[in-house]
Amino acid sequence: MIQHSDVLERSLNDFAIEVPSWGFANTGTRFGKYLQATAASTLEEKFADASQVHIFTGKCPTLALHVEWDVPKGTTISSVLELSARYGIRPGSINPNTFQDQSYKHGSLCNEEAEIRAQALDHIFYSIELAAGLSSRDISLWFADGSNYPGMANIRKRKEWMEEGLRQAHDHLGPQHRMLIEYKPFEPAFYHTDIADWGMSFLHARHAGPQARVLVDTGHHYISQNIEQIVAWLLSEDMLGGFHFNDRRYADDDLTLGSIDPYQIFRIFAEIGHYEWETNTKADIAYMIDQSHNVKNKIEAMIQTVTTAQELYAKAALLDHEALEFHRAHQEIIDAENVYKDAFATDVRPLLQDWRRAHGLPEDPLKAFRASGYLKEVARQRQGRQKESAAYA
Ligand code: PSV
Ligand code: MN
C-alpha cells in the first residue's frame, strides 16, 4: 500500500510557489492605505522579505516583479541580479504595467490612439527584454483596459487591437519565454473589460502564438463561478499557464488563499492532480500568489498563504484516483463525492510537519519566522522612511 507520506513527498517537493514583490509593499484600497512599519519600500527590501518566506517555507525561490514598480526603464539588469544573488531569490514572472501611466486612461493596447497602443507595446517589448536579461521565463500580462459606460467604446475594434498587439508581443518572445494572459471581469473598468473572462484570454492566447497561455487569478471570477471547470478545460486544451492565488468573498478582495473557501482551491488542485494521474505527466503550471495585505503583516500573511496552499495541495494529492474513476464509471455518485470529501477532510498537518522536518525546514514556518526577530529588526531599520510604493493592486 502506498503511504501518505510517500505521496506527499513526491507532490510537495515539486510544488514551488512564487511570491509577488507588491505583496511586501504598502498598498491599499481605493479609500486609503494603512501603512506598516515593516513594509518594503525598495526592491532590495522586497527581495529581503521574499527571502524570509523562502527560508522558512523552503518552496518560494522566485519573486514576481512588476516592471513600473520594481524595474522601471533605467534599472540595470546587473543591479537586479546582484540583489537576487544576495538574497538567494530568483526573479520570477515579469509583469508589464500598462495601467498606471496617465496616458492609459482609455486603455493601452486597446486605446483608440495608435500612438498609445504603440507606447504600451513598447513597454511590453521592454518587459520581454528584461525577462531575457533576468532569465525569467514568464511574461505575465494583465490589462486594465475597458470602458465605464455603454456606447463609449467600440468593443469589437478594441478586441482586434488587443489581438494585434498580443501577436506582436508574442513575436518578440525568445524561445525560452511564455506569455501568460490574465483575465478579470471588472475593475477598474465597470462597464466592459477588454479581457474579461477565460474564454477571451484563451482566444487571445491562441491567436497570439504557441508560447501563450491563460493565467487564472482565483479572485477574478463572478461569484459562484465554477473555477475548477475552467481549469479542467484549460488543461484539456493545454492552455493553462499559471495561477494567481488569493481568495475572495465579494470581488477581487485579495484575501488570503483558502481563508473563505478552501474547498474551492482543493477542487482546483484535485482537477490538476487527476489530469496528472491520467496523463502521467506533470502539468507545466506557474503557481503564483497575488495578494496585497493591508491589515495582516505582509510577510506573515505570505507564509500563512504558502502553508495553506501546501495543505490544500497535499489533501488533493491524497485523492484516490482509481476509486474516483471506478465510482464515476458505475454512477456511484455519493461514493465519488466521498472520495473528494475524504481527501479534503484528512488532517495533513502532521504529514506536512514530517515533510518539513525531513527537508530541514521548521515544522511551523510562521512560528519560526516570528521567533527569528526579523520583523522587529526591519521595523527599526525602515521606521520613518516609508514611501508609497505600488499604487494599485
Ligand atoms: C489585477 O487585479 C491583478 O490581479 C494583476 O495580476 C496585477 O498584476 C496585480 O493584480 C497587481 O495589481
Ligand atoms: Mn492577478
Side-chain angles (χ1 to χ4, degrees):
M1 187 176 146
I2 303 172
Q3 294 293 314
H4 278 177
S5 51
D6 297 337
V7 175
L8 288 201
E9 174 65 23
R10 268 183 275 123
S11 61
L12 288 173
N13 287 355
D14 286 347
F15 185 45
I17 304 173
E18 181 162 307
V19 294
S21 69
W22 54 99
F24 300 106
N26 275 320
T27 50
T29 69
R30 287 189 289 146
F31 304 102
K33 288 183 184 180
Y34 298 108
L35 304 181
Q36 296 188 9
T38 55
S41 303
T42 62
L43 186 57
E44 169 153 17
E45 290 172 356
K46 292 172 188 176
F47 267 104
D49 291 358
S51 80
Q52 292 297 304
V53 180
H54 185 49
I55 286 168
F56 290 97
T57 63
K59 281 287 150 197
C60 302
T62 57
L63 178 67
L65 299 173
H66 228 293
V67 179
E68 285 299 324
W69 301 337
D70 299 319
V71 269
K73 260 200 168 131
T75 316
T76 59
I77 301 263
S78 59
S79 66
V80 182
L81 291 177
E82 203 260 307
L83 292 177
S84 162
R86 191 179 318 156
Y87 292 100
I89 296 290
R90 294 194 311 278
S93 61
I94 299 298
N95 295 249
N97 181 319
T98 54
F99 49 85
Q100 193 169 287
D101 195 277
Q102 289 299 312
S103 56
Y104 297 135
K105 185 170 177 180
H106 298 299
S108 60
L109 286 187
C110 300
N111 200 296
E112 285 272 338
E113 288 180 45
E115 216 173 282
I116 294 175
R117 296 201 297 277
Q119 176 191 327
L121 191 58
D122 199 49
H123 175 76
I124 296 171
F125 287 166
Y126 167 70
S127 306
I128 294 169
E129 284 149 26
L130 202 60
L134 296 173
S135 303
S136 288
R137 183 189 187 204
D138 290 334
I139 290 86
S140 194
L141 297 167
W142 171 70
F143 294 94
D145 292 42
S147 68
N148 279 319
Y149 296 97
M152 74 178 264
N154 185 330
I155 296 175
R156 184 170 36 79
K157 241 190 194 165
R158 291 172 68 100
K159 178 230 170 218
E160 287 159 13
W161 285 325
M162 177 64 81
E163 203 170 283
E164 175 58 17
L166 291 175
R167 206 190 42 70
Q168 291 185 47
H170 190 284
D171 283 352
H172 212 78
L173 297 176
Q176 75 279 28
H177 290 142
R178 298 193 309 171
M179 175 195 280
L180 305 182
I181 305 177
E182 185 173 353
Y183 56 92
K184 174 168 170 168
F186 64 90
E187 198 210 17
F190 290 103
Y191 168 62
H192 106 281
T193 296
D194 286 292
I195 307 183
D197 66 26
W198 74 274
M200 298 179 197
S201 283
F202 177 90
L203 276 178
H204 277 312
R206 272 277 156 88
H207 282 130
Q211 289 159 246
R213 296 284 182 281
V214 176
L215 186 141
V216 177
D217 182 314
T218 47
H220 291 187
H221 301 90
Y222 294 114
I223 287 173
S224 88
Q225 192 157 5
N226 185 331
I227 304 176
E228 63 269 28
Q229 182 179 6
I230 295 171
V231 168
W233 276 58
L234 291 175
L235 283 168
S236 163
E237 295 287 337
D238 189 21
M239 288 300 273
L240 179 60
F243 285 95
H244 272 180
F245 283 149
N246 50 60
D247 209 339
R248 51 78 62 75
R249 178 75 182 83
Y250 300 100
D252 187 20
D253 306 334
D254 264 9
L255 299 179
T256 314
L257 183 83
S259 58
I260 302 295
D261 188 357
Y263 196 38
Q264 165 70 90
I265 305 301
F266 167 84
R267 296 193 307 267
I268 289 173
F269 287 146
E271 230 23 92
I272 295 168
H274 201 65
Y275 165 87
E276 292 180 336
W277 173 78
E278 269 181 349
T279 59
N280 200 24
T281 53
K282 183 90 195 135
D284 186 6
I285 299 170
Y287 295 103
M288 301 173 271
I289 297 172
D290 184 359
Q291 293 171 185
S292 300
H293 288 278
N294 248 320
V295 288
K296 283 179 173 173
N297 175 268
K298 293 161 198 298
I299 304 174
E300 290 187 0
M302 219 52 89
I303 293 173
Q304 185 190 31
T305 303
V306 174
T307 54
T308 304
Q310 288 175 325
E311 283 167 20
L312 294 167
Y313 194 78
K315 283 170 188 273
L318 298 181
L319 270 177
D320 186 341
H321 298 286
E322 280 93 0
L324 194 57
E325 279 306 313
F326 180 88
H327 296 312
R328 284 173 179 174
H330 295 82
Q331 282 88 45
E332 292 163 357
I333 302 163
I334 293 177
D335 304 273
E337 187 190 5
N338 280 343
V339 171
Y340 265 49
K341 293 182 80 162
D342 288 346
F344 186 62
T346 308
D347 184 1
V348 292
R349 288 172 300 183
L351 294 166
L352 269 160
Q353 285 175 1
D354 293 345
W355 174 80
R356 289 195 182 106
R357 217 179 304 115
H359 290 268
L361 295 165
E363 282 178 19
D364 183 338
L366 183 58
K367 198 169 156 197
F369 169 68
R370 285 181 171 164
S372 74
Y374 181 83
L375 284 179
K376 219 170 162 192
E377 178 57 23
V378 293
R380 198 185 51 75
Q381 288 170 8
R382 298 175 188 176
Q383 201 82 41
R385 56 184 182 86
Q386 287 302 322
K387 270 191 285 174
E388 302 222 334
S389 39
Y392 179 91

